[in-house]
Amino acid sequence: MEVVIVDSPAAGAEIAARAIAELLTTKPAAVLGLATGSTPLGVYDALVRMHQQDGLSFASARGFALDEYVGLDVDHPESYRAVLQREIVGRVDFAAGAVRTPDGWAEDVPAACAGYERAISEAGGIDLQLLGIGGDGHIGFNEPSSSLASRTRVKTLTLATRQANARFFHDDLGAVPKHVLTQGIGTILKARHLVLLAWGTQKAHAVAQAVEGSVRAMMPASALQLHQHATVIVDEAAAANLTQADYYRYVYLNKPAWQGI
Ligand code: GLP
């Protein structure tokens, strides 16, 4: 696992966006794993800028969201389908239908989850998966105690996650769905490159546990330790509890110039 410590979220977003741009340049039909939450928004802004200024194209690319709420109105502005459309899909040149989210409105939930797994496989698997991290270490909506081998399925959110996400629902906890569909940890681990981003002191504990703690279901992001190509990009505040921070800085500063993240 590579840990990149940056001065600001904007600097970290730029590194992640550059990795995506390089991927799209070498593989225009790349499959991107898209995340929601506040953390990746700077990455999406940087990609939009690269699209507008440098002609970075998503026209042949495809995308898969990590997760989706269950039970929202189909046109609810906070469904992850709507959020991704607003933050990235509709701002660049993805082809119509090229980005999918798990179907949080499906009548047959197990069939929808199996279909989502199948669609990812049929697309050739995810090349680069962006990830945020919950304060409790969740990735996607895989709450603590999620199986490290899990696949796309329905999950029940913890009260803490619903409270954290209430800010997107006018601080009305009752409006935050209790259920979600999420790629499993096993699904996420199949992506070829994982790029986890974290900003701020409220993520410092989870980041340290994920990177330096034991691999365990109670800390879903610790599963990244099992992946061959995982990059963790954190600002100084989110890096505060890492015991090996100086070593990670040293490794990054001394990387061969040709090697990306
Ligand atoms: C939600 C999302 C996660 C995200 C997490 C952290 O639970 N499902 O994908 O990583 O929130 O959100 P934020 O980036 O807003 O801190």
Side-chain angles (χ1 to χ4, degrees):
M1 184 176 332
E2 179 178 31
V3 181
V4 181
I5 302 173
V6 291
D7 290 337
S8 65
E14 199 64 30
I15 292 172
R18 232 183 297 133
I20 293 172
E22 276 163 27
L23 171 65
L24 287 170
T25 306
T26 52
K27 185 179 180 184
V31 181
L32 303 176
L34 301 171
T36 45
S38 327
T39 306
L41 294 181
V43 181
Y44 298 148
D45 288 342
L47 289 172
V48 170
R49 192 198 69 230
M50 291 171 184
H51 169 66
Q52 290 171 347
Q53 294 180 0
D54 313 327
L56 178 68
S57 178
F58 297 75
S60 306
R62 274 167 297 172
F64 288 91
L66 273 174
D67 44 17
E68 179 59 281
Y69 290 111
V70 171
L72 290 180
D73 286 344
V74 73
D75 55 357
H76 196 290
E78 292 304 328
S79 77
Y80 283 170
R81 183 168 71 187
V83 170
L84 284 175
Q85 180 65 28
R86 201 160 59 230
E87 301 297 352
I88 180 69
V89 180
R91 299 166 74 198
V92 295
D93 60 343
F94 272 114
V99 176
R100 287 184 59 165
T101 46
D103 185 357
W105 299 271
E107 302 257 311
D108 184 341
V109 169
C113 293
Y116 201 65
E117 289 280 332
R118 212 165 36 244
I120 293 173
S121 298
E122 285 169 4
I126 291 172
D127 289 299
L128 186 153
Q129 175 67 61
L130 277 180
L131 295 166
I133 183 170
D136 57 2
H138 72 252
I139 48 175
F141 268 134
N142 294 283
E143 297 284 29
S145 81
S146 290
S147 158
L148 301 184
S150 50
R151 311 307 296 232
T152 303
R153 69 217 184 287
V154 68
K155 285 293 288 181
T156 304
L157 295 180
T158 62
L159 181 57
T161 297
R162 292 181 62 235
Q163 283 166 339
N165 287 4
R167 69 191 194 279
F168 297 114
F169 295 84
H170 307 289
D171 288 322
D172 176 6
L173 181 63
V176 185
K178 292 195 172 80
H179 297 107
V180 293
L181 302 186
T182 182
Q183 284 188 33
I185 298 173
T187 316
I188 292 168
L189 289 177
K190 296 261 281 186
R192 286 180 274 278
H193 184 191
L194 301 180
V195 180
L196 183 142
L197 311 168
W199 325 129
T201 45
Q202 71 282 9
K203 302 291 172 72
H205 171 75
V207 166
Q209 287 298 310
V211 174
E212 297 179 345
S214 52
V215 175
R216 59 199 193 280
M218 286 307 286
M219 180 50 59
S222 66
L224 268 67
Q225 294 179 36
L226 300 170
H227 197 276
Q228 289 189 340
H229 189 186
T231 310
V232 176
I233 306 177
V234 290
D235 66 0
E236 293 286 350
N241 293 7
L242 290 168
T243 64
Q244 302 298 305
D246 286 341
Y247 175 64
Y248 307 139
R249 287 192 190 90
Y250 175 82
V251 170
Y252 189 65
L253 280 173
N254 289 287
K255 264 178 97 147
W258 51 267
Q259 204 178 29
I261 60 166

